[in-house]
Amino acid sequence: MTLSAEASWEDLMRAANRGEQQPYVQLLREITPVVRGIVRARGSALGNEGCEDVVQDVLLTIHLKRQSWREDAPLRPWLYAVTRHKVVDAFRARGQRIDLPVDDFIEVLAAPADPDPFETQDMDRVIDRLDPRAAQIVRAIGVDGETAADTGARLGMSEGAVRVALHRALKSLAQLRERMIE
Amino acid sequence: MKTEDLIAALSADTTSQPTMGARLLRTMPVAVLVALVAVVALWKVRPDLAAALASPALIKTAMPAVLALAALWLARGLSRPESRARAQWAVVLVLLAGCAVALVQGLMLGGMSGLMTALDTPNLLTCFLSIPVLSALPLAAVLWSMNSGAPSNPRLAGAAAGLLAGAAGTAVYSLHCPEDALLFFAPAYGMNVLIMVGAGTLLGPRWLRW
């Protein structure tokens, strides 16, 4: 199934939940500026790079918790609630208290679409703490843009095994980041 | 790492996580069944169970069972981050208020001496030792299931999980409990459910963080 460029976020997320990769990429690309806008509006003190760390935290959480969105509900309230939760967490970790009323988010504008200029540090630090093979898989697919099949062929694993390893690695990343916060 | 790279990694992970509902369906019937089997095999059901369930003492079983269902609905609502679960709260609070009213009415009729007489039985100790034990597995099942949700308030979600587990454990225990005086089961069951709510409240922030 192909979804048009104007497909609603709900349609994209439903397709993503069925395991379709392309609509999911489109959705994550479209929500990133919105999340970035919220984070920057609240966390100007963190600097752009610090904000981008938080944005990546939020995206990782959205990914791992996406099944808690009910498919017949609008996506935005869910998305804002997840973002709010992680943003509060991130600022608490950095010793800043912030108050984020949910309703505020409606007015937040997407950040200007500068094409993702920041190399963040935090995510690389936690990836380094994964076991070497898991880190290798995350980097191959993320940074080098390999497909799971390519990575599998190179590492002598089946494509399915690579996907399972990737899934576990992403879950570990989220847990490691949680622990960094404590 | 650039955000675009992270998106590439995330989107390649097409493994779907089970939903909270799917996990609950898988674990909760087993947890309750284990508790039921334990009561039948170890505690023994009361000999006059059929007669008791046909009498007003049915409320001992029915009320916790209904409360457990309402708490289940509440726990599901609270594990969605955007939901405040207002309708669920309303139903649960009405049920809890009903229990409180029944207890107060019983106290007004029987007085403190009535309460003391009703509670002066070795079954009180059995009750306090049994319900938390019977509720422990259901509590683990609910918390594990909720872990795949995203409760915006883990403490509150843990309390709802404790309410669900405590009410379910109480309904199961009532099949054994021979005490039918309101002034026994209302305060004793109520305290035990509160203990489980407390346990859930303590565990929630640890187990339900995300």
Side-chain angles (χ1 to χ4, degrees):
Chain A
M1 178 176 140
T2 44
L3 289 164
S4 68
E6 292 88 46
S8 74
W9 285 1
E10 287 78 12
D11 289 338
L12 294 172
M13 189 59 121
R14 277 188 286 266
N17 279 345
R18 286 192 302 274
E20 293 181 45
Q21 209 168 330
Q22 229 24 62
Y24 193 34
V25 173
Q26 186 186 336
L27 175 70
L28 290 173
R29 283 191 182 141
E30 287 181 22
I31 62 182
T32 297
V34 176
V35 170
R36 193 179 282 140
I38 295 170
V39 174
R40 286 199 190 160
R42 306 291 152 178
S44 46
L46 295 179
N48 280 342
E49 209 174 278
C51 281
E52 204 60 19
D53 280 328
V54 180
V55 170
Q56 293 186 0
D57 239 353
V58 173
L59 289 175
L60 181 59
T61 307
I62 286 170
H63 174 68
L64 292 173
K65 291 296 182 185
R66 66 194 190 283
Q67 309 290 344
S68 71
W69 171 64
R70 234 180 43 190
E71 294 210 341
D72 56 353
L75 188 72
R76 276 173 182 76
W78 178 87
L79 178 71
Y80 295 151
V82 172
T83 305
R84 174 180 188 277
H85 190 83
K86 290 318 281 187
V87 167
V88 171
D89 234 25
F91 288 132
R92 190 185 297 135
R94 291 165 176 80
Q96 296 186 13
R97 289 181 152 270
I98 55 155
D99 190 32
L100 271 190
V102 181
D103 309 333
D104 262 27
F105 284 7
I106 316 299
E107 299 140 38
V108 168
L109 294 171
D114 38 28
D116 192 14
F118 307 105
E119 269 307 331
T120 61
Q121 307 292 317
D122 280 10
M123 196 57 87
D124 285 296
R125 269 200 289 273
V126 276
I127 290 174
D128 286 337
R129 283 165 57 184
L130 294 172
D131 75 81
R133 166 140 302 195
Q136 205 178 358
I137 289 173
V138 172
R139 289 220 167 87
I141 291 175
V143 184
D144 308 334
E146 277 187 16
T147 64
D150 294 343
T151 310
R154 196 161 51 80
L155 299 178
M157 299 165 74
S158 73
E159 181 183 345
V162 171
R163 286 190 192 278
V164 170
L166 177 66
H167 181 66
R168 295 218 179 107
L170 294 174
K171 278 172 87 169
S172 314
L173 282 182
Q175 280 164 4
L176 287 169
R177 301 206 66 156
E178 271 297 306
R179 246 171 273 157
M180 264 173 50
I181 284 176
E182 272 166 27
Chain B
M1 177 176 246
K2 290 191 174 168
T3 302
E4 187 59 31
D5 299 339
L6 178 67
I7 289 176
L10 297 181
S11 63
D13 172 23
T14 47
T15 312
S16 70
Q17 296 257 90
T19 61
M20 176 194 172
R23 280 187 169 183
L24 268 177
L25 268 177
R26 223 164 56 189
T27 58
M28 205 49 189
V30 178
V32 172
L33 196 67
V34 168
L36 271 173
V37 169
V39 161
V40 171
L42 305 173
W43 275 259
K44 311 290 181 207
V45 296
R46 56 191 291 180
D48 57 345
L49 182 63
L53 289 182
S55 76
L58 170 67
I59 193 77
K60 270 169 51 179
T61 308
M63 189 66 200
V66 170
L67 190 57
L69 287 178
L72 175 67
W73 190 37
L74 177 64
R76 286 202 65 175
L78 288 178
S79 64
R80 291 170 50 207
E82 79 281 20
S83 160
R84 298 206 182 139
R86 289 216 177 88
Q88 289 91 324
W89 272 120
V91 170
V92 166
L93 290 178
V94 164
L95 288 174
L96 290 177
C99 297
V101 167
L103 175 60
V104 168
Q105 228 170 20
L107 278 174
M108 276 168 29
L109 284 173
M112 281 312 272
S113 61
L115 180 67
M116 289 308 157
T117 318
L119 291 179
D120 184 19
T121 152
N123 288 323
L124 184 65
L125 183 62
T126 315
C127 177
F128 271 83
L129 290 176
S130 305
I131 293 180
V133 170
L134 292 170
S135 307
L137 200 56
L139 181 61
V142 185
L143 286 175
W144 181 72
S145 305
M146 282 181 112
N147 208 303
S148 69
S152 52
N153 186 336
R155 191 177 299 275
L156 215 52
L163 182 63
L164 165 51
T170 302
V172 171
Y173 175 74
S174 71
L175 302 176
H176 161 81
C177 178
E179 303 285 342
D180 288 341
L182 173 77
L183 282 181
F184 175 84
F185 67 76
Y189 288 11
M191 275 307 293
N192 275 289
V193 171
L194 279 181
I195 289 172
M196 294 313 293
V197 170
T201 310
L202 288 178
L203 291 173
R206 264 174 244 181
W207 286 21
L208 301 178
R209 281 194 64 158
W210 54 284

